[in-house]
Amino acid sequence: MPPAPAALTCRYPAQVLDLANWKITLPVAKPGDPTSPLEVKQPQLRTYSNSPYFVASSRCDSVTFRAPVKGVTTPGSTYPRSELREMANNGANNASWSSTLGTHRITATEAFTALPKVKPHLVGLQVRDANDDLSAFRLEGSNLYITDGNNSHYKLVTDLYTLGTRFEAKFEVSGGMIRAYYNGVLQATLLKVFTGGYFKAGAYTQANCTNSSPCSSDNYGSTAIYKLTLFHQLPALNQMLPPVTVPVPSVGLMPY
């Protein structure tokens, strides 16, 4: 008999998910700057993990994202995150696309695995523009919502969500619209005309030490992402540019 295959082991999240066009923001301080969160980009992200905040599972089938309520936050937020931010050009530049030009899609198979105490709110997937969040999959207790800007309860997807339950979340953006799908079923269609678009995925804990206790690293929100794919399609160049009319000068007839 042939020998049994060796057990698969993964040391890094990039061995589980394709992270070529992502960077990670973590709820820990950047070295030398205790007020700023640590960010890791490509090519370092290929061989990077940070337990317990960003780590591959022992079975190599998922990546865990954890953000404690006492975590370091980004300048524009009071909440901590262990979250991927979409990039472009193999991680060299921030992704930035338009909702009216082409089709842009993110699909994630994920599970919410822990919620912060007192305020059990957690975001697992987002679409944003250059200025603000536009829509997200947000869990509050057992209620899973799709948000619309500041309306965090725009669409109740289910009020019976159980921690650890895998589901497929998808955002598709085209024609100035955001369409949100849960397990392949369309849940919401939002009119959103914007530029500077990008996706985010991971654990964005919607609680901190002012509204959740205990204020400790053991009080956190977390997700597991099993599959994460991006899709972008732009129209052909001749569809992107308006037709150009070139005037043809009149040419007089030469006399015989």
Side-chain angles (χ1 to χ4, degrees), residues 70-179:
K70 65 177 296 185
V72 181
T73 66
T74 55
S77 176
T78 59
Y79 295 136
R81 70 186 79 212
S82 174
E83 193 175 38
L84 296 168
R85 195 269 194 213
E86 186 190 2
M87 304 291 283
N89 302 321
N90 290 317
N93 307 106
N94 287 346
S96 179
W97 37 262
S98 167
S99 68
T100 60
L101 188 63
T103 300
H104 313 277
R105 183 186 308 131
I106 185 171
T107 306
T109 301
E110 66 178 329
F112 292 92
T113 53
L115 294 175
K117 296 177 175 61
V118 183
K119 188 182 182 219
H121 299 179
L122 180 64
V123 166
L125 196 70
Q126 298 189 70
V127 55
R128 297 178 58 94
D129 68 8
N131 299 309
D132 209 348
D133 59 301
L134 300 172
S135 188
F137 280 81
R138 177 187 177 107
L139 184 64
E140 299 185 5
S142 62
N143 296 332
L144 180 60
Y145 295 97
I146 292 168
T147 70
D148 178 9
N150 292 328
N151 184 352
S152 59
H153 299 156
Y154 177 74
K155 174 63 192 313
L156 178 64
V157 176
T158 177
D159 60 359
L160 296 173
Y161 183 83
T162 302
L163 290 178
T165 303
R166 296 189 201 186
F167 64 96
E168 183 187 84
K170 179 171 72 175
F171 284 119
E172 183 171 279
V173 183
S174 64
M177 310 289 285
I178 297 175
R179 298 170 183 85

Side-chain angles (χ1 to χ4, degrees), residues 169-244:
K170 179 171 72 175
F171 284 119
E172 183 171 279
V173 183
S174 64
M177 310 289 285
I178 297 175
R179 298 170 183 85
Y181 297 81
Y182 174 78
N183 289 335
V185 178
L186 180 63
Q187 300 290 323
T189 300
L190 309 174
L191 175 62
K192 301 287 182 180
V193 176
F194 61 90
T195 57
Y198 60 96
F199 296 117
K200 304 194 81 173
Y204 182 22
T205 297
Q206 302 293 287
N208 55 35
C209 288
T210 69
N211 52 34
S212 179
S213 62
C215 181
S216 75
S217 58
D218 293 327
N219 183 13
Y220 57 85
S222 68
T223 63
I225 296 184
Y226 298 84
K227 186 176 180 181
L228 186 65
T229 59
L230 291 169
F231 173 85
H232 295 287
Q233 184 177 61
L234 292 175
L237 184 61
N238 61 357
Q239 295 176 299
M240 295 169 61
L241 300 177
V244 177

Side-chain angles (χ1 to χ4, degrees), residues 36-58:
S36 297
L38 176 64
E39 288 193 343
V40 180
K41 302 178 180 180
Q42 295 292 358
Q44 291 79 13
L45 191 56
R46 297 173 192 163
T47 54
Y48 182 82
S49 66
N50 192 322
S51 182
Y53 307 112
F54 176 61
V55 62
S57 71
S58 59

